[in-house]
Amino acid sequence: MADEASVGQEPTVVHVRCSDRLPEDTYRQVLELLADLSPVVQALPPAAALVELKGALRYHGAEARRLSEVLRVRTISRLGIDVRVGVGPSITVAATASGQLTGPGGVLVVPSGEVTAWLAPLPVEALHGISGREASALRDHGIHSVGSLAAIPPATAQRLLGGRAGRLAVDRAHGIDPRPVVPRALPTTASVQHTFDRHTLDGAAVRAALLELVVRLGLLLRGRGRAARALTLTLRFADGTRWRKTRRLPEASAHEQDLRQTAYQLMDAAGLQRGRLTGLGLTAQDLIDADQVAEQISLDDAREARLVAEAVMDRIRAKFGPGSIGPATLFGRVS
């Protein structure tokens, strides 16, 4: 919806940010409080959410600002936490607004008729949906503010950021974002397991089993159209004990290269000595839709080649089975 088309309309999209270190159970309670305000709540784990208040304004007989303040009072009084709330006529504007709040909490409302004027002076990296690499590319060409991004022809942005990314960036710099808030509960996890035929001390066998899990998990995530923000590695020992640790990925991903790097870091953190393993598991946490992952500008030709090869291997596995192709290390090593 464009700024001009929204004049006189009450902004109804709310973007809520919690502390990045918020425990998952508390985050779920925040989502429950949001559901008390509106039935249209979209979880954005691990610490954010969207709410559409279009129907709720009439039901509650209150403006969006008032409902946002009520939300803050409830999270403080019931959960002992504060939240940052941005309100605007679109997802981009609301999320940009919540990102401009400093401190643990607050409410910032951007009126529908003032979107472009409010966005214009912000640094380009403050616009929701602009990645660090995209902001750097824009700055390298003298585009430092959201207003200057809005002023360039879409074709120029497409040359700098790529076709789709460039079009979206210019639209959003004008406050145009037709995406609806889609009700979505807290995403579930995705897990894969490996059990050894015999108790093992063989580091090479353990590493090969972990690589097998990475391949399977990546295939599972891509098949579901999901991406993981974190991985949890679980090790099961012969004495019945377990070791578990979670590490966040630098960026949400379902690609084997990214999953493998984090999984190996987790295995290294375990510091295995003489513990006899009976099995291990790898769990993808904080899942999001793959189309929510920002498209990054990449100058890494090797990585781009691996992603193309990965897509080809996925098609081969779909046709001939999951074990038809994969890393050479896996063939004849995992037991």
Side-chain angles (χ1 to χ4, degrees):
M1 59 190 75
D3 186 18
E4 293 78 2
S6 303
V7 175
Q9 297 178 6
E10 172 79 7
T12 62
V13 179
V14 175
H15 187 272
V16 179
R17 294 179 191 262
C18 307
S19 166
D20 290 338
R21 294 182 292 275
L22 191 70
E24 183 177 316
D25 59 340
T26 306
Y27 176 56
R28 289 181 182 274
Q29 291 176 290
V30 172
L31 294 178
E32 292 173 0
L33 292 179
L34 294 178
D36 289 339
L37 295 180
S38 169
V40 186
V41 177
Q42 181 176 340
L44 300 174
L50 287 165
V51 186
E52 174 57 73
L53 293 178
K54 190 172 296 183
L57 297 181
R58 181 176 301 175
Y59 177 82
H60 293 287
E63 295 182 343
R65 179 184 294 278
R66 172 60 179 164
L67 293 181
S68 299
E69 294 289 1
V70 167
L71 172 65
R72 283 192 66 205
V73 170
R74 289 178 179 177
T75 59
I76 293 170
S77 62
R78 300 182 187 181
L79 305 179
I81 64 169
D82 205 345
V83 293
R84 291 172 288 160
V85 184
V87 184
S90 70
I91 291 176
T92 291
V93 177
T96 301
S98 67
Q100 290 303 296
L101 291 166
T102 59
V107 174
L108 177 57
V109 178
V110 181
S112 298
E114 301 175 14
V115 169
T116 52
W118 182 79
L119 287 173
L122 297 179
V124 69
E125 61 269 18
L127 183 64
H128 182 72
I130 296 292
S131 70
R133 290 185 181 182
E134 289 170 341
S136 178
L138 292 170
R139 285 184 170 278
D140 287 344
H141 289 80
I143 302 168
H144 298 277
S145 69
V146 177
S148 58
L149 173 59
I152 67 174
T156 301
Q158 290 174 323
R159 286 196 298 271
L160 297 178
L161 305 180
R164 181 174 181 271
R167 289 193 302 272
L168 289 176
V170 173
D171 281 349
R172 291 173 183 177
H174 287 279
I176 300 171
D177 184 354
R179 293 175 298 167
V181 177
V182 180
R184 183 178 297 128
L186 190 61
T188 58
T189 60
S191 298
V192 288
Q193 305 287 329
H194 179 86
T195 300
F196 294 104
D197 294 337
R198 301 175 301 277
H199 301 173
T200 183
L201 289 168
D202 185 350
V206 172
R207 186 68 61 135
L210 181 59
L211 179 57
E212 179 216 10
L213 293 185
V214 167
V215 172
R216 287 168 50 196
L217 185 60
L219 188 62
L220 179 63
L221 290 171
R222 294 191 298 276
R224 294 180 179 177
R226 310 288 273 174
R229 284 188 168 127
L231 289 182
T232 297
L233 175 65
T234 302
L235 305 180
R236 303 190 300 272
F237 295 94
D239 62 2
T241 61
R242 294 180 178 233
W243 179 93
R244 181 180 289 110
K245 188 175 180 64
T246 300
R247 183 183 292 267
R248 300 194 67 78
L249 280 74
E251 295 178 352
S253 179
H255 299 303
E256 289 176 15
Q257 177 187 2
D258 304 323
L259 300 177
R260 182 176 64 249
Q261 180 178 359
T262 300
Y264 283 0
Q265 290 171 348
L266 285 166
M267 182 62 78
D268 292 341
L272 293 178
Q273 298 294 327
R274 302 297 295 173
R276 291 182 176 273
L277 284 175
T278 60
L280 58 160
L282 194 61
T283 301
Q285 306 274 9
D286 291 343
L287 304 189
I288 63 172
D289 288 345
D291 59 10
Q292 286 186 268
V293 179
E295 295 183 12
Q296 300 288 344
I297 301 171
S298 176
L299 302 179
D300 186 344
D301 293 337
R303 176 178 173 81
E304 293 302 315
R306 282 192 291 269
L307 295 182
V308 171
E310 181 180 78
V312 173
M313 287 191 289
D314 283 352
R315 291 194 292 271
I316 293 173
R317 289 166 178 146
K319 184 174 182 178
F320 299 105
S324 58
I325 191 170
T329 306
L330 296 183
F331 292 91
R333 291 300 303 272
V334 180
S335 59

